[in-house]
Amino acid sequence: MKVLKFGGTSVGDPNRIKKLYEIISSQSAGRKMIVLSAVSGTTNSLISIAESFKNEEKEEAIRQINSLHQFYNAFIEQLFTAQNLKQSAQEVVKKHFDLLKGFANDLFTSAEEKVILAQGELISTFLFQLYLQEIGVKSVLLSAFDFMRINEDGEPEYDYIKTNLNTLLNAHAEEVLFITQGYICRNAFGQEDNLRRGGSDYSASLIGAAVNADEIQIWTDIDGLHNNDPRFVNETKPIRFLSFNQAAELAYFGAKILHPQSIYPAQKNNIPVRLLNTLNPGANGTLITNSEIPEKVIVAVAAKDGITAIRIKSSRMLMTYGFLRKIFEVFERYKTPIDMITTSEVAVSLTIDNNNNLDEITKELSHYGDISINVNQTIVCVVGDFRSDTHGHVCIVLDALKHLPIRMISYGGSNYNISLLIPDNQKVEALRALHNRLF
């Protein structure tokens, strides 16, 4: 089986939805699982609707719901030719929007918010299956709520997913084409939940692992991972091959095409991941495998914004043990991951990308030393093959950025990246300087 995930831009308008089957049918014979995101822009609209309900701006929420409903009615008019299918689509979609309007009469909590955010994927998968019906293609729509589940810590329950998904597939043993939703799931309490933003990639990888897929394909609107951010740097190029380790670094440190968590299930099960472009299906894209790619020592640059740097300076660190454990326990209590860390004999500098509990964290850390905070920082990550038998690459990177202020450097924690912390307003200059020097 192949797993094909199509992102929001790939289903962004009726014409693109009509072209999906051309891509699907061009694949080699065998079973296929199609994982769809919400139509482009829908999730942002749903987030805005949820925010309006949360702020008790019910009239504004209803206005936004009606506007989005009108968008989908126009979408349906363009997608379908048969009048009976147009009517069926409008009736089902109306039920989704009536559900949204019903939240104006209820107490609004995070549980209701997650129900709202699920509607985009439920609508896109329904419309796609109905379109396949119109063109005479048989398919089975599987609800992600019937097999995709996370535990109390928000982590996927792999055994549950594998058992329940394969049970559903075995119940349709003669069928070859399946459709399901990305992003959405149930939580440990059976409530509707999600895998967070970008989670459709994660859904595809989890599904691929559960069915031991031959390949996972992530279809977006760009020809694979590029060696720099094409939004800021001219003449970037797609990377033909990547190892999972390199792709994981790029995804975590800012490459927007791939969700950071989507790498692990595929890597663990040795399933190739191919990144492809729905707007240019003939492009090679990027193939990610467990093989180490010797093609180039330095393969790409990425950047992660919204970083906060925290420095804890204390003479009590000198010649003592247990100090770092106490520091890490503070972040653990507030469930705040650390991105980078550097240490000296009397100071620790580290970075986080979630400031929700920054005041509380700072207060607790102040018991251990003097604290300084720098917000509005960016991590620039240079990804490649930096094993101990290679040399000279750090010098090249630092030489490219010698005219810019560097707050922290992390090297050696991984064989695959050099990370540097700079002010946000220097990001574009850093990306361009590195591109000119490295590529």
Side-chain angles (χ1 to χ4, degrees):
M1 175 178 275
K2 284 186 178 181
V3 177
L4 286 72
K5 176 261 177 176
F6 293 96
T9 55
S10 299
V11 294
D13 63 49
N15 288 329
R16 291 185 184 178
I17 283 186
K18 291 176 182 179
K19 291 179 180 178
L20 291 193
Y21 186 66
E22 295 178 17
I23 293 173
I24 295 166
S25 60
S26 69
Q27 303 283 322
S28 57
R31 300 181 108 188
K32 301 176 185 69
M33 175 72 76
I34 311 304
V35 182
L36 297 185
S37 297
V39 170
S40 179
T42 298
T43 300
N44 287 336
S45 296
L46 293 173
I47 290 172
S48 182
I49 290 166
E51 283 295 318
S52 294
F53 277 129
K54 194 183 301 183
N55 296 330
E56 299 185 354
E57 299 169 351
K58 295 182 180 180
E59 290 184 2
E60 173 61 17
I62 296 299
R63 185 196 67 77
Q64 292 172 320
I65 291 168
N66 287 334
S67 176
L68 189 59
H69 192 182
Q70 289 173 5
F71 166 81
Y72 272 100
N73 281 336
F75 197 99
I76 289 166
E77 283 293 327
Q78 296 177 52
L79 181 59
F80 299 100
T81 302
Q83 193 60 40
N84 64 320
L85 293 182
K86 285 185 182 181
Q87 184 175 345
S88 296
Q90 288 167 345
E91 288 173 356
V92 171
V93 168
K94 182 178 183 298
K95 290 179 181 178
H96 286 280
F97 284 98
D98 286 344
L99 172 67
L100 296 180
K101 291 178 181 177
F103 290 117
N105 305 317
D106 297 329
L107 178 67
F108 195 80
T109 69
S110 61
E112 282 75 24
E113 179 180 13
K114 288 170 180 174
V115 173
I116 287 177
L117 297 185
Q119 301 310 303
E121 280 73 17
L122 294 172
I123 292 173
S124 66
T125 49
F126 163 72
L127 291 178
F128 183 57
Q129 192 200 27
L130 198 61
Y131 171 71
L132 291 180
Q133 181 181 326
E134 181 171 74
I135 63 174
V137 176
K138 193 174 182 181
S139 63
V140 178
L141 179 58
L142 301 179
S143 173
F145 291 137
D146 291 338
F147 64 87
M148 190 68 70
R149 190 169 77 178
I150 56 176
N151 60 25
E152 293 183 28
D153 295 322
E155 296 298 322
E157 295 190 14
Y158 294 101
D159 291 340
Y160 179 95
I161 295 167
K162 182 174 182 177
T163 298
N164 285 273
L165 177 55
N166 282 289
T167 298
L168 291 170
L169 292 173
N170 291 336
H172 301 280
E174 303 302 317
E175 304 298 334
V176 296
L177 185 59
F178 299 87
I179 304 166
T180 194
Q181 301 85 20
Y183 177 61
I184 65 175
C185 62
R186 291 196 184 276
N187 60 28
F189 308 102
Q191 301 167 318
E192 295 182 16
D193 212 315
N194 59 67
L195 299 172
R196 298 179 290 278
R197 293 302 296 268
S200 291
D201 292 349
Y202 202 8
S203 298
S205 190
L206 290 166
I207 290 168
V211 301
N212 194 27
D214 299 315
E215 184 176 275
I216 298 166
Q217 298 180 1
I218 308 293
W219 289 84
T220 63
D221 57 356
I222 190 170
D223 298 341
L225 273 169
H226 279 227
N227 60 359
N228 209 322
D229 193 327
R231 296 172 301 174
F232 307 114
V233 179
N234 295 326
E235 299 181 1
T236 64
K237 295 180 180 179
I239 306 166
R240 185 71 182 89
F241 300 102
L242 275 176
S243 70
F244 275 113
N245 290 318
Q246 292 170 342
E249 299 282 5
L250 283 173
Y252 185 76
F253 286 105
K256 304 300 182 184
I257 189 175
L258 193 63
H259 190 267
Q261 290 172 303
S262 66
I263 293 295
Y264 178 70
Q267 181 178 15
K268 182 181 178 183
N269 291 273
N270 198 24
I271 300 171
V273 175
R274 201 179 292 272
L275 309 180
L276 297 161
N277 185 357
T278 50
L279 306 183
N280 184 17
N284 289 324
T286 300
L287 178 63
I288 306 170
T289 67
N290 266 323
S291 300
E292 296 297 332
I293 310 300
E295 184 179 311
K296 291 182 179 179
V297 173
I298 296 177
V299 295
V301 178
K304 186 176 183 181
D305 301 325
I307 302 297
T308 294
I310 304 172
R311 175 181 288 161
I312 308 102
K313 185 177 181 180
S314 174
S315 58
R316 284 181 288 169
M317 282 184 63
L318 191 62
M319 303 296 288
T320 61
Y321 61 88
F323 189 87
L324 287 178
R325 174 179 56 80
K326 294 174 183 177
I327 297 297
F328 292 148
E329 284 176 346
V330 174
F331 292 91
E332 182 180 6
R333 279 194 290 276
Y334 291 99
K335 296 183 178 180
T336 302
I338 295 170
D339 290 314
M340 290 175 62
I341 181 167
T342 61
T343 66
S344 72
E345 285 298 319
V346 294
V348 180
S349 289
L350 49 82
T351 68
I352 59 175
D353 64 0
N354 180 351
N355 288 350
N356 289 342
N357 297 300
L358 182 59
D359 291 341
E360 293 86 349
I361 289 171
T362 303
K363 184 177 179 181
E364 288 203 32
L365 290 176
S366 65
H367 298 306
Y368 302 108
D370 297 325
I371 309 300
S372 61
I373 307 291
N374 293 109
V375 296
N376 300 323
Q377 305 288 299
T378 290
I379 295 175
V380 174
C381 177
V382 180
V383 171
D385 180 1
F386 303 120
R387 287 172 292 187
S388 58
D389 58 348
T390 64
H391 56 84
H393 309 300
V394 175
C395 294
I396 297 172
V397 170
L398 293 179
D399 184 62
L401 301 179
K402 63 186 177 183
H403 60 300
L404 297 177
I406 298 175
R407 169 72 169 75
M408 288 172 61
I409 300 173
S410 177
Y411 174 62
S414 159
N415 288 333
Y416 306 99
N417 91 68
I418 302 168
S419 295
L420 307 102
L421 187 70
I422 62 174
D424 276 352
N425 59 11
Q426 302 289 333
K427 178 186 80 169
V428 174
E429 174 60 25
L431 291 177
R432 291 172 178 170
L434 285 167
H435 194 79
N436 291 335
R437 185 70 175 84
L438 301 178
F439 305 122

